[in-house]
Amino acid sequence: MAGIKQLILNADIIRRAHDTARFERLLFNLDPNRLAGLVELLRTTDPETARLAPIRYHHLLQALHPATTLGKVIQHIDYAALRPDARPYLLGPFLNLSFGNAFPRLCLQRSNPASGRLAYISLNGPSEEGAWRTHLPAIRDWLGGDWELMRHTVSVAELEQRSPLPAAFPFDNRSLAPGHLYAGVDVKTRRHVHMPFADLPSGTLLAGATGTGKSNALHILLQSIFANLRFFSSVYLVDGKDGVTLQRYARIAPGKVHVLWEEPHLWNLTTQLVEFMRARNADQRACNIDNATGNFVAVVIDEMSTFTAKPSGDAKHPDNKLHARFLDELAMVARRGRSTGIRLFVTAQEPVAEQIPPTIRANCLNTISFKLPIDAHATALFGQLESLPADPRHLQRGRALLKNGITGEIRHVQFPVMGMPR
């Protein structure tokens, strides 16, 4: 009797081994069309096949790992030819993304690829959020659509396909909010981004190469200020293009909004601002107030590089001394202006010393960065780029990385376009 049971057991083992071998021949063949057979296997209605399919799927991911014999030839798989409906199941091997020597596995219970929801489980080691974010561009290209990492835990990464934002959409005054600076739309949440003027640091830097959307964003930030003029005692617009860009705003509120572009006028302004800070600090000491929550002073300097270079090549020229004092005073405003209500906004094409002095840049804690194609410029603002919500070197026109200098939060935002036809 025991011998018969053993024969039956051996026969069952042989049958299972035969089924597994047939399964492996179907899926382990490097022909992408056969790899796509995984989809049919996982969608089967046959109870026995449905029971074994997840196990075989797990075994497939194990076999495709570079540590295995088959994994050593994984580079020969033509992933571009793999059917779109099979791609979510083999995302790990395609990206060569593994944790604890294992590819993340698509959770069949929590995922619905057809509806744009994918949940990946890491069984052998902790999932790394930074690694997923780094691979988002490749995921979008391969799966198609605008995929975002919506939730992440030590063992699960959840991706969702979102309806893409249009490449450009018009600015609407209704997106502004009382007492807040408007900073576009969050690409991930699709919500408008508002930052209270009271919570802004002393300085905000707008950086970005020519043609990336920086100037358009500056005009939208100005709309936030103009819509909230009741919160400001003065607004100074310093135009690095001889008044061509900002002179249009000279009549917004005469006596409150001032436009200037001559260097001596800017030098006088910083001296006045330092005196203003000292006077307001004295008033705050008398009233036991730490920070101004109203009567803000906005100072917007467009194209800072225009005012960075020394006025004269002659080291003894008197204007050089005035210019050096101007830079020192501007750095003081950026460093200490927050408590007195000064809000400084500076634009520069590149975050280099030739365009914006390090003493000023270091105190512009808020950053709105459009595309910075040079590696050194991107890392100068953000350090390591792997964990960012988007790569600052490859941002599309109109999109930027917004770094909150108070909280440290970094968001991927898109600015609407001023003056688009409706």
Side-chain angles (χ1 to χ4, degrees):
M1 189 67 177
I4 295 176
K5 289 183 178 181
Q6 187 62 46
L7 287 174
I8 294 174
L9 179 60
N10 290 342
D12 185 60
I13 293 173
I14 293 172
R15 180 182 64 78
R16 290 179 181 271
H18 177 71
D19 288 346
T20 301
R22 184 171 59 184
F23 165 74
E24 291 177 352
R25 284 196 302 272
L26 172 67
L27 296 180
F28 290 4
N29 190 304
L30 299 184
D31 179 356
N33 291 326
R34 296 200 178 187
L35 281 174
L38 176 66
V39 176
E40 280 71 27
L41 188 72
L42 295 172
R43 291 176 179 172
T44 183
T45 57
D46 175 67
E48 180 63 14
T49 305
R51 183 179 67 83
L52 296 175
I55 300 174
R56 290 171 174 173
Y57 169 47
H58 179 61
H59 290 165
L60 170 64
L61 293 183
Q62 287 182 314
L64 288 177
H65 196 272
T68 67
T69 302
L70 182 65
K72 294 176 181 178
V73 295
I74 191 174
Q75 61 269 23
H76 299 299
I77 299 177
D78 184 7
Y79 283 107
L82 191 62
R83 274 174 27 195
D85 60 346
R87 294 182 180 188
Y89 300 93
L90 298 174
L91 188 63
F94 166 70
L95 299 173
N96 196 23
L97 176 65
S98 64
F99 306 106
N101 291 324
F103 292 126
R105 184 183 71 183
L106 185 69
C107 178
L108 304 180
Q109 290 73 36
R110 298 172 61 175
S111 301
N112 188 337
S115 298
R117 295 193 304 275
L118 306 174
Y120 289 92
I121 302 175
S122 300
L123 298 177
N124 288 28
S127 175
E128 297 176 12
E129 181 176 359
W132 281 105
R133 294 200 181 279
T134 299
H135 284 91
L136 278 176
I139 292 172
R140 293 173 184 137
D141 289 342
W142 199 54
L143 298 184
D146 188 11
W147 291 87
E148 290 289 346
L149 180 65
M150 302 304 294
R151 285 166 291 277
H152 183 272
T153 67
V154 69
S155 59
V156 179
E158 296 186 32
L159 303 174
E160 286 188 11
Q161 186 180 25
R162 305 183 65 87
S163 300
L165 283 171
F169 53 91
F171 170 69
D172 189 334
N173 281 319
R174 292 174 296 182
S175 60
L176 303 177
H180 288 71
L181 183 76
Y182 176 63
V185 175
D186 189 301
V187 174
K188 181 177 180 180
T189 65
R190 303 297 196 266
R191 296 176 180 174
H192 293 291
V193 178
H194 299 100
M195 307 174 71
F197 288 111
D199 293 344
L200 293 179
S202 297
T204 296
L205 170 64
L206 276 76
T210 300
T212 59
K214 178 177 81 278
S215 296
N216 172 75
L218 175 62
H219 288 290
I220 290 177
L221 297 180
L222 290 177
Q223 295 305 312
S224 295
I225 295 174
F226 299 149
N228 288 280
L229 280 178
R230 64 186 182 277
F231 297 106
F232 289 83
S233 59
S234 300
V235 176
Y236 297 95
L237 308 181
V238 184
D239 194 335
K241 297 177 181 176
D242 287 336
V244 174
T245 301
L246 302 178
Q247 178 62 21
R248 71 187 74 173
Y249 300 123
R251 298 182 180 179
I252 288 286
K256 179 174 283 191
V257 177
H258 313 270
V259 181
L260 52 147
W261 55 89
E262 298 288 351
E263 287 190 84
H265 296 165
L266 177 57
W267 301 344
N268 290 334
L269 173 61
T270 54
T271 299
Q272 294 171 17
L273 291 173
V274 170
E275 294 173 354
F276 167 82
M277 286 195 303
R278 289 170 177 162
R280 182 164 279 190
N281 278 331
D283 292 340
Q284 289 174 324
R285 285 195 300 271
C287 299
N288 292 320
I289 297 175
D290 293 332
N291 292 298
T293 57
N295 289 323
F296 300 112
V297 175
V299 181
V300 179
I301 304 179
D302 188 26
E303 298 295 347
M304 180 65 196
S305 59
T306 303
F307 308 103
T308 301
K310 291 182 178 180
S312 174
D314 181 0
K316 297 182 179 179
H317 196 285
D319 282 355
N320 285 342
K321 184 176 181 179
L322 295 173
H323 180 262
R325 187 181 71 180
F326 149 68
L327 292 179
D328 289 341
E329 290 174 340
L330 187 61
M332 185 184 300
V333 170
R335 183 172 63 253
R336 297 174 47 191
R338 182 175 187 268
S339 64
T340 59
I342 296 178
R343 300 296 182 260
L344 174 66
F345 301 87
V346 177
T347 77
Q349 293 185 19
E350 300 171 350
V352 295
E354 292 77 13
Q355 294 205 11
I356 175 170
T359 54
I360 298 173
R361 188 185 74 191
N363 290 289
C364 289
L365 300 182
N366 268 11
T367 300
I368 302 175
S369 175
F370 292 83
K371 183 177 180 180
L372 293 171
I374 299 176
D375 292 354
H377 297 167
T379 55
L381 288 185
F382 298 103
Q384 296 296 323
L385 307 180
E386 289 76 11
S387 60
L388 298 176
D391 191 329
R393 298 167 297 182
H394 304 293
L395 291 169
Q396 70 181 53
R397 178 179 171 83
R399 291 196 177 184
L401 289 180
L402 169 63
K403 181 179 180 180
N404 187 315
I406 303 299
T407 66
E409 179 187 21
I410 300 178
R411 305 170 78 168
H412 187 197
V413 299
Q414 180 170 339
F415 279 81
V417 180
M418 291 284 292
M420 284 186 63
R422 295 180 180 271

